[in-house]
Amino acid sequence: MKALRIGMVGYKFMGKAHSNAYRALPMFFPEAPIQPKMAAICGRDAEAVQQAARQYGWADTETDWRSLVTRDDIDLIDINAPSDAHKDIALAAAKAGKHIFCEKPLALTLADSREMLKAAEEAGVKHMVGFNYRFSPAVRLAKNLIESGRLGQIYHFRAWFLQDWILDPAFPLVWRLQKDIAGSGSHGDLGAHLIDLAHYLVGDIQEVIGMSETFIKERPLAENMTGLSAKGSLGGPMGKVTVDDATLFMARFAGGALGSFEATRFAAGHRSTNSFEINGSKGSVKFDFERMNELEVYFTDDQEDVQGFRRVLATDEAHAYSHAWWPAGHTIGFEHTFTHEMLELMEAIHEDRQPSPSFHDGVKCQAVLEAVERSVEERRWVEISEM
């Protein structure tokens, strides 16, 4: 196979990011064993999806995902529609023998995510979940430092994903604030990324205890939504917010490390502060996605007079993906993580292996998300093995 024919469901925030990644891959990674072919894009609004197809470079359009998944000229279904649609599309795609890429969180519930994984495995198709932050070169450097033992035994993982985009009480009730569509609020949207980074870097989480809060209980109904923006009518009808605005939890890892996690959309001044710090017996690392090309690194065996965190710019030849982009010091951005994600997808299909992260990782993340929710409800520590 030289080309992978893509059918994509969704065309807004993530649809644009994925489209850009498919278009960039041949230019910057010509060595990729398979290249994507943007065959068809799907959305319910015919006029809007046709405009997206022209803008993003898709060859054809559909307005019903059921038609898309059964097309003979499609090899993989890319799902970036709202979370409540993930399961049905994935099950149909697996039944049709299509490979599947699905944005996170994998499903609304752990049971649904397990059903999706089972269907994909029984169909023998490749499956990937969209945890794009794994594909930042600085995060890959952190992974290498941990796996090589240069940080020693890991004691702490602390992470926080802070945003402020719904701080205004007049901001409308978008779908991300409705549990039946989104599954959860900041916990599943932002916290899922932190959980996956923890699994990727430190290992499995064993038990959790958490708390959450919804600060604004009602919001104006949305008149239209685009990505993370929306409009509503002042003084118009209101709707109930049914997800968390903020969730915090503590965790114990199977390997003995301790973890703390915070996800909120009510941190004024934080546009998208996705950060973690890892402390080990031989050193520490600190990462903030708002400065995604940098990793702060500390080693305990440095001479005393020069000990301290050093700023490493992860753009040199020694760092992941650097060969494809710009000269050292010329930074990359958010969109590049998706290109790296799609490179992994193409290589995995060519090598006849499951991509990483796969639906297995999506299920594992969903188990932690629901364990935290159970902990909040029952006000106790919850073992992941209970889920």
Side-chain angles (χ1 to χ4, degrees), residues 38-336:
M38 299 165 65
I41 185 173
C42 180
R44 288 172 292 184
D45 185 324
E47 183 178 349
V49 77
Q50 287 169 9
Q51 170 58 33
R54 290 191 294 270
Q55 181 179 346
Y56 302 160
W58 291 87
D60 196 10
T61 64
E62 292 280 359
T63 55
D64 187 339
W65 62 260
R66 295 167 184 82
S67 299
L68 184 74
V69 299
T70 57
R71 284 176 53 153
D72 293 335
D73 62 342
I74 299 293
D75 303 308
L76 178 140
I77 298 296
D78 179 321
I79 307 168
N80 56 82
S83 303
D84 64 330
H86 289 186
K87 175 187 170 182
D88 288 345
I89 300 172
L91 294 182
K95 184 177 181 180
K98 314 295 187 185
H99 303 306
I100 310 167
F101 181 97
C102 185
E103 264 302 330
K104 65 86 212 147
L106 191 56
L108 292 181
T109 68
L110 177 58
D112 285 352
S113 67
R114 284 172 170 161
E115 187 176 351
M116 291 165 65
L117 171 60
K118 181 181 179 182
E121 288 187 322
E122 290 179 348
V125 300
K126 308 305 181 199
H127 44 85
M128 188 174 188
V129 63
F131 289 119
N132 63 294
Y133 295 106
R134 282 193 185 200
F135 294 89
S136 302
V139 172
R140 295 281 162 149
L141 174 57
K143 174 76 167 176
N144 291 340
L145 293 175
I146 293 168
E147 287 193 334
S148 65
R150 293 173 70 183
L151 297 188
Q153 180 182 347
I154 303 303
Y155 296 133
H156 292 285
F157 176 89
R158 64 185 63 86
W160 53 101
F161 204 148
L162 315 176
Q163 293 183 346
D164 66 356
W165 64 281
I166 59 169
L167 194 62
D168 183 355
F171 187 86
L173 186 71
V174 296
W175 69 264
R176 293 176 188 271
L177 306 182
Q178 298 172 279
K179 188 175 180 62
D180 59 341
I181 301 176
S184 66
S186 63
H187 184 46
D189 187 25
L190 308 181
H193 281 299
L194 303 180
I195 292 165
D196 181 69
L197 286 171
H199 285 152
Y200 177 62
L201 295 168
V202 179
D204 289 353
I205 293 172
Q206 181 175 311
E207 60 177 347
V208 297
I209 188 168
M211 64 178 182
S212 68
E213 185 59 62
T214 302
F215 299 113
I216 306 298
K217 313 295 185 185
E218 289 188 333
R219 291 183 177 273
L221 297 181
E223 294 181 346
N224 59 68
M225 294 177 270
T226 303
L228 297 182
S229 64
K231 292 182 179 180
S233 60
L234 294 176
M238 303 287 284
K240 184 178 180 181
V241 176
T242 52
V243 300
D244 62 290
D245 287 330
T247 294
L248 294 81
F249 69 95
M250 296 185 295
R252 189 181 302 276
F253 288 83
L258 303 181
S260 64
F261 300 75
E262 178 181 5
T264 180
R265 293 164 171 164
F266 275 71
H270 291 273
R271 298 298 188 254
S272 192
T273 305
N274 177 8
S275 302
F276 63 77
E277 179 171 340
I278 300 172
N279 309 124
S281 60
K282 296 181 180 180
S284 298
V285 293
K286 294 192 290 186
F287 173 78
D288 179 359
F289 192 74
E290 289 184 349
R291 304 183 69 168
M292 65 165 283
N293 290 275
E294 302 174 13
L295 186 71
E296 292 189 66
V297 182
Y298 171 81
F299 294 116
T300 60
D301 59 2
D302 284 341
Q303 293 297 311
E304 184 178 357
D305 60 343
V306 293
Q307 279 199 355
F309 278 95
R310 69 191 73 178
R311 180 181 72 99
V312 177
L313 192 61
T315 61
D316 289 352
E317 188 175 344
H319 301 122
Y321 311 114
S322 62
H323 74 281
W325 299 110
W326 318 116
H330 293 67
T331 56
I332 62 172
F334 174 67
E335 70 274 19
H336 298 82

